[in-house]
Amino acid sequence: MRLIWKSIFGLGLLAIGGYPIAVISGQLPDDEMQLNLNTYLDSYGVNIVYPSLSISKRMSESTSFSGRYLVDIISAASMQTFFEVDGITSATTRREGGGDDTPDELRQETGIGVTHLIGDGTVSLNTIYSAEHDYSSKTLAASTSYPIAMQNTTLQMGLVKSWDDVHPQTRFWNRDKNVVTYSTGLTQVIGRKAIAQLDFSYTDMSGFLSDPYQVVSIVFPENVDARFFETIYPDSRVRRAAGGRVNLKTTENTTLQLGYRYYWDSWEIISNTFHGLIQKNYMDDQMTLGLGLRSYSQGRAFFFQPVYREPQELMAVDSKLDEGDSREYKVQARVSGTLLQRFPFFDDERTDLSVKVSYYHRHTTTADWYTGQNDLYAWVTSFGYRYRF
Amino acid sequence: MKRPSVPPFVFLCAALVTAMLAGCATVKPYEREYLGDSIMSFDEDAKEASRNVSWIETREGSTGGTGGAGGGCACK
């Protein structure tokens, strides 16, 4: 089970402001179908393919419906530990799993939503269900946005509530996890060539927040062999993040986006994130190229220790709770179908093709509990096909 | 469990920036040619962030605050 891999599912919907609540104020989503094939491959041997299909369709002048289906397929090279779980991804081993090319985990996610115009404002409601053999999640998301000041300012508010059920394959119990996130934002036109956005999110998590498949190994002085213990996390967590970004039109065809996020939570993790993205249009806006950089650094959770000499009330080994930093370098391109005259299927002005490739490097102060490595390298790719009805 | 206090400068900065933004000159609809460009929109960023949230949050301990909640280019 990739407990962590999907347990943040509900969070992402809100905090990142993705599919369910990404609505432009005063406008319904375009009638379109979007197909994405995304992959994640890293130096720990984790291979993930996550294709997604999303559709939005206007049913009236003021109402639009949307749906999305996503599949997570994960396969890791380092399987078959004595805990019968993959130490890197926490994916449970299956009979056909192991260090081969067979997927070891499958998660399916289905979501439907409706967006409605009320005056100049927008209200959106979405529900999502995610399931796999040892974890399920139900999410309800609501958001609204409203423009003021001659549409130079847009106010946004969002609420996401998720109910998760954790039932690990190697345990005999079920545990609940509840997550609620409140977000608010403000988008402001600050000139003919500049627009800015401020966001704040507050997340309250409770229930089972640990990972049942990760283990703490302790070597006692009187023993030669190590003894193994479950990780134990606090049963609640409050997470806060405040971010801002600005998009500047530097030339007629070029934009520069700069952003910063400050994050702090009740586990005493504090992080700073900077990002920049340059995009340029070519061929009468039929092609767009972009270059991006993201820089991230974080502190350590108060209960994370590099080495445990004796059992503690709270224990963690997950590297993401350790102090560290990361960089992500991104190249992206979008091509309109009008430029693809040699490809009949794509030769359509209503079609867009896109590709994004990222190189990711993370360094943590403490070596990873399973691989023993301080550095993680990953390639992340996304191929997208978009068709507007 | 010890909970860190909220850094006051975060709210101070947010309040100052908000006040500054709110005082910006009004851009009229016919002056929004550049703002209507797709690469000026934050909306696509939100969709991409939604797709990437899984792997990023598996590798890092933070979340949220990256925008997109109801975006808006005010370019209607």
Side-chain angles (χ1 to χ4, degrees):
Chain A
M1 173 175 82
R2 294 154 297 126
L3 180 64
I4 302 302
W5 203 268
K6 70 290 189 90
S7 63
I8 46 78
F9 163 73
L11 272 178
L13 298 176
L14 170 72
I16 301 298
Y19 156 74
I21 52 180
V23 180
I24 297 176
S25 184
Q27 296 181 25
L28 291 175
D30 292 333
D31 286 353
E32 65 175 22
M33 182 269 292
Q34 192 160 339
L35 180 64
N36 282 86
L37 177 62
N38 313 291
T39 66
Y40 171 91
L41 315 172
D42 73 21
S43 58
Y44 287 3
V46 177
N47 303 323
I48 300 172
V49 179
Y50 47 113
S52 65
L53 172 67
S54 60
I55 297 174
S56 58
K57 173 67 178 171
R58 297 184 186 189
M59 307 306 292
S60 71
E61 290 291 319
S62 60
T63 304
S64 173
F65 284 90
S66 62
R68 183 170 85 161
Y69 177 70
L70 179 147
V71 180
D72 255 355
I73 306 166
I74 183 170
S75 178
S78 64
M79 307 299 290
Q80 312 293 356
T81 75
F82 52 87
F83 277 92
E84 297 183 349
V85 62
D86 174 20
I88 297 177
T89 63
S90 297
T92 42
T93 54
R94 302 175 68 172
R95 289 180 181 175
E96 68 273 24
D100 53 28
D101 295 330
T102 307
D104 298 293
E105 180 85 4
L106 189 71
R107 178 178 74 89
Q108 299 184 75
E109 172 193 316
T110 306
I112 56 173
V114 58
T115 301
H116 188 68
L117 293 178
I118 300 178
D120 290 333
T122 306
V123 175
S124 180
L125 286 174
N126 291 272
T127 181
I128 298 161
Y129 180 67
S130 169
E132 54 197 293
H133 70 286
D134 56 2
Y135 195 100
S136 63
S137 176
K138 304 183 189 79
T139 300
L140 190 62
S143 68
T144 182
S145 63
Y146 198 84
I148 58 175
M150 296 178 64
Q151 303 211 5
N152 285 275
T153 303
T154 303
L155 304 175
Q156 306 108 29
M157 294 179 65
L159 169 67
V160 173
K161 171 76 174 153
S162 67
W163 300 265
D164 295 4
D165 181 35
V166 186
H167 40 280
Q169 184 172 306
T170 53
R171 300 291 191 279
F172 298 100
W173 44 255
N174 285 41
R175 299 279 173 81
D176 293 334
K177 187 177 85 174
N178 298 305
V179 182
V180 60
T181 301
Y182 310 91
S183 69
T184 184
L186 179 150
T187 304
Q188 175 68 48
V189 173
I190 52 178
R192 293 175 58 193
K193 298 181 179 180
I195 187 167
Q197 191 173 64
L198 295 173
D199 300 281
F200 176 79
S201 68
Y202 178 95
T203 299
D204 193 349
M205 308 171 69
S206 61
F208 185 77
L209 305 181
S210 184
D211 186 323
Y213 298 132
Q214 294 186 349
V215 294
V216 181
S217 60
I218 300 177
V219 180
F220 293 92
E222 64 273 18
N223 295 327
V224 176
D225 297 329
R227 290 180 59 193
F228 301 98
F229 298 85
E230 294 182 348
T231 57
I232 309 171
Y233 293 5
D235 56 8
S236 66
R237 187 179 190 181
V238 173
R239 318 177 79 175
R240 309 172 191 87
R245 50 191 174 155
V246 60
N247 217 349
L248 307 169
K249 195 92 173 180
T250 53
T251 71
E252 186 175 346
N253 297 313
T254 308
T255 59
L256 171 64
Q257 184 180 132
L258 298 172
Y260 169 73
R261 180 189 70 172
Y262 182 81
Y263 168 94
W264 69 109
D265 68 22
S266 60
W267 290 2
E268 298 185 7
I269 291 179
I270 293 176
S271 74
N272 294 280
T273 309
F274 297 90
H275 82 267
L277 175 67
I278 298 175
Q279 295 186 93
K280 184 169 185 178
N281 286 329
Y282 296 90
M283 302 178 184
D284 293 331
D285 299 348
Q286 300 303 304
M287 174 184 286
T288 304
L289 299 178
L291 291 173
L293 170 65
R294 177 176 174 272
S295 178
Y296 173 83
S297 63
Q298 76 169 51
R300 176 181 291 166
F302 73 90
F303 56 92
F304 181 96
Q305 295 182 20
V307 177
Y308 290 91
R309 303 295 183 193
E310 58 184 19
Q312 306 287 321
E313 184 180 355
L314 299 172
M315 296 189 290
V317 294
D318 197 330
S319 293
K320 74 176 188 178
L321 300 179
D322 187 17
E323 65 180 352
D325 56 76
S326 63
R327 306 283 182 277
E328 181 188 356
Y329 309 89
K330 180 169 65 177
V331 178
Q332 62 185 47
R334 178 198 62 84
V335 178
S336 169
T338 54
L339 295 181
L340 302 172
Q341 297 177 356
R342 293 184 180 180
F343 304 91
F345 185 70
F346 299 113
D347 180 18
D348 192 319
E349 63 181 5
R350 295 171 294 182
T351 297
D352 279 342
L353 294 180
S354 64
V355 58
K356 296 177 182 176
V357 179
S358 292
Y359 175 72
Y360 178 79
H361 171 216
R362 183 193 73 179
H363 176 82
T364 51
T365 303
T366 307
D368 180 73
W369 73 281
Y370 191 85
T371 65
Q373 299 174 20
N374 293 79
D375 292 282
L376 168 77
Y377 305 92
W379 286 99
V380 184
T381 61
S382 175
F383 300 92
Y385 169 77
R386 181 186 183 203
Y387 180 77
R388 292 178 289 277
F389 310 143
Chain B
M1 180 192 335
K2 182 182 177 183
R3 293 190 173 187
S5 60
V6 178
F9 77 89
V10 173
F11 290 120
L12 181 62
C13 290
L16 286 175
V17 172
T18 304
M20 289 166 56
L21 293 177
C24 292
T26 298
V27 177
K28 296 181 172 54
Y30 57 83
E31 297 175 323
R32 293 175 184 162
E33 175 188 356
Y34 294 121
L35 297 173
D37 193 332
S38 60
I39 58 176
M40 285 292 282
S41 170
F42 294 120
D43 186 46
E44 186 57 34
D45 301 336
K47 291 179 179 176
E48 181 186 354
S50 175
R51 287 192 293 270
N52 289 335
V53 64
S54 289
W55 75 262
I56 287 180
E57 294 224 0
T58 303
R59 299 309 183 197
E60 299 173 356
S62 304
T63 189
T66 52
C73 62
C75 52
K76 181 182 176 185

